[in-house]
Amino acid sequence: MKSILGIVAALAVSAAAAVAQQSVDEQIAERIAPAGETCMKGEECAAAVAAAPEGASGGGTRSGEDIYNASCQTCHALGVAGAPRFGDAAAWAPRIAQGMDTLYSHAINGFNAMPAKGLCMDCSDDEVKAAVDYMADNSK
């Protein structure tokens, strides 16, 4: 009888150890699980609505003045690295004479010391164009 009780006790201890080990394995797996998941185009998760970029207005695009004040004035208020100063008609005239498409291209893609999008990486092309329009209109 003692041997049967010993066997039952040994099985109970063995079962408890297996349950404890499974719990430890689950805890380890939880701790080393990735913090997020990658969602590729075409997957169901890709259909989820993306959050608006920080600083973007909830109502759509920001105005040219908003973009100028947030990003462009850093250089264009002081003429940093040859940037035409806001309101300086003489500095803007030859640039405006090249045509707005050229100004847009330089602002979006960068030109000379002007970095692409003036480093406003959360700006859409239309927002950059609106900022160019704002600066040009106020510098004639």
Side-chain angles (χ1 to χ4, degrees), residues 61-76:
T61 59
R62 297 166 283 183
S63 72
E65 183 177 8
D66 291 339
I67 299 300
Y68 172 80
N69 289 330
S71 298
C72 308
Q73 76 174 357
T74 304
C75 295
H76 287 279

Side-chain angles (χ1 to χ4, degrees), residues 37-52:
E37 296 179 15
T38 302
C39 184
M40 302 300 287
K41 184 176 181 178
E43 293 179 348
E44 185 176 322
C45 58
V49 177

Side-chain angles (χ1 to χ4, degrees), residues 68 76-77 84-97 103 131-140:
Y68 172 80
H76 287 279
R85 293 181 67 165
F86 183 84
D88 184 347
W92 279 92
R95 291 168 171 88
I96 293 170
L103 280 176
V132 170
D133 289 340
Y134 174 75
M135 288 186 282
D137 290 345
N138 286 281
S139 301
K140 291 181 181 179

Side-chain angles (χ1 to χ4, degrees), residues 20-130:
Q21 183 60 41
Q22 182 181 17
S23 177
V24 168
D25 290 344
E26 289 172 355
Q27 290 174 5
I28 291 171
E30 185 178 321
R31 278 189 235 122
I32 64 172
E37 296 179 15
T38 302
C39 184
M40 302 300 287
K41 184 176 181 178
E43 293 179 348
E44 185 176 322
C45 58
V49 177
E54 187 176 321
S57 63
T61 59
R62 297 166 283 183
S63 72
E65 183 177 8
D66 291 339
I67 299 300
Y68 172 80
N69 289 330
S71 298
C72 308
Q73 76 174 357
T74 304
C75 295
H76 287 279
L78 301 173
V80 173
R85 293 181 67 165
F86 183 84
D88 184 347
W92 279 92
R95 291 168 171 88
I96 293 170
Q98 293 178 7
M100 293 307 289
D101 287 339
T102 300
L103 280 176
Y104 296 151
S105 176
H106 290 172
I108 292 168
N109 301 310
F111 183 76
N112 292 333
M114 167 77 182
K117 294 190 175 187
L119 299 179
C120 182
M121 294 301 122
D122 70 337
C123 289
S124 69
D125 287 357
D126 287 338
E127 289 174 325
V128 172
K129 289 177 182 180

